[in-house]
Amino acid sequence: MRIIMFDMDGTLVDSGTSITNTINHVRVNLGFEKMEKNFALEKLNDPNISTSKFFYGTDDFTLQQKELFEDYYKENCLKELELYAGIESLLEDLSKDFTLAVATNANSFFAKKMLDHLNIGRYFQTILGYDSVKNPKPHPEMINKILDKHSMRKENAQVIGDSHKDILAAKNAGVDSVLVNWGFSNHDKDAIETIEELKNRIYIKFNS
């Protein structure tokens, strides 16, 4: 029994435009200027900053911010949403040998909606979002919850993500991880560049 846990945004799907548009919708309603897309996405993945403080100027997300974000995202999350090239065939191959799951800091309802829209939701036995845990990534709670649900040992698990939040969550849970470089961050080191390289890394870990 072996499990692969994927981050969603920036790893499986390119949702950068809809995420940035949603953040900017909230910012404009709060009286802030819009942010440039690449800058916003880079900061969204930065584990060293408070996202609520950085984007909206508050210590925690307020009810108003959550409602503005979710109302807009609900209507627009499927727009300009794309699957990264090669992901579907990768999942098809991996599903023959592994249990597959999604661990995302997005809302689990939206995550399932987006993955189903792109016809890959069927590959995942579990899709877990921030609303299913007290502490989102980089905290290990999400990773541990998926391990427990599937009765998996951490030695038989791997986390795939485009953000250091994903890698830290895996490290904090004692799970192996792979950092990919086709997502929202531009990593200088320790990140792989292609789907083929990712597939090799996965099978090397579990066949060694």
Side-chain angles (χ1 to χ4, degrees):
M1 295 282 287
R2 304 171 299 181
I3 189 166
I4 309 294
M5 290 173 266
F6 286 90
D7 170 55
M8 184 180 72
D9 296 298
T11 301
L12 296 171
V13 306
D14 184 356
S15 51
T17 298
S18 57
I19 288 175
T20 306
N21 288 344
T22 307
I23 288 171
N24 282 331
H25 171 75
V26 179
R27 285 179 58 82
V28 168
N29 274 274
L30 297 176
F32 296 110
E33 293 183 354
K34 291 183 177 180
M35 282 186 175
E36 188 271 327
K37 176 181 173 181
N38 290 340
F39 177 72
L41 294 175
E42 186 79 31
K43 293 304 181 182
L44 190 66
N45 269 349
D46 189 338
N48 299 311
I49 66 171
S50 162
T51 50
S52 59
K53 175 73 77 174
F54 182 82
F55 289 111
Y56 311 131
T58 53
D59 290 334
D60 295 298
F61 293 109
T62 66
L63 181 60
Q64 180 193 21
Q65 292 163 11
K66 291 177 182 177
E67 289 179 345
L68 283 168
F69 189 99
E70 292 186 0
D71 288 347
Y72 185 91
Y73 201 63
K74 183 178 181 180
E75 295 299 319
N76 295 279
C77 67
L78 301 184
K79 297 177 181 177
E80 299 179 299
L81 180 67
E82 295 182 359
L83 198 60
Y84 286 113
I87 286 293
E88 187 168 4
S89 60
L90 173 70
L91 296 175
E92 177 67 30
D93 291 341
L94 293 178
S95 66
K96 300 167 186 172
D97 298 308
F98 302 93
T99 296
L100 303 181
V102 169
T104 173
N105 277 355
N107 178 288
S108 54
F109 171 80
F110 293 133
K112 188 174 189 312
K113 181 178 178 181
M114 293 160 68
L115 295 171
D116 285 344
H117 175 74
L118 294 170
N119 200 35
I120 61 169
R122 57 199 165 96
Y123 291 112
F124 302 105
Q125 294 191 27
T126 297
I127 298 172
L128 202 67
Y130 78 86
D131 53 310
S132 301
V133 294
K134 292 181 180 177
N135 305 288
K137 298 176 292 184
H139 194 281
E141 183 183 354
M142 197 178 291
I143 307 302
N144 287 328
K145 191 168 184 176
I146 293 174
L147 291 175
D148 290 343
K149 178 177 180 180
H150 294 280
S151 300
M152 293 284 185
R153 295 167 53 213
K154 59 186 178 182
E155 296 82 5
N156 293 331
Q158 193 172 47
V159 172
I160 315 297
D162 73 309
S163 163
H164 285 297
K165 287 183 178 180
D166 304 310
I167 305 309
L168 284 170
K171 182 179 180 181
N172 291 335
V175 171
D176 185 58
S177 63
V178 181
L179 183 65
V180 303
N181 210 23
W182 54 74
F184 298 162
S185 300
N186 185 22
H187 303 291
D188 294 326
K189 59 181 182 178
D190 301 325
I192 63 169
E193 303 289 339
T194 68
I195 294 289
E196 192 61 35
E197 195 176 354
L198 173 58
K199 187 175 179 180
N200 290 338
R201 282 281 296 272
I202 291 170
Y203 279 101
I204 286 170
K205 171 191 165 44
F206 290 105
N207 292 331
S208 60

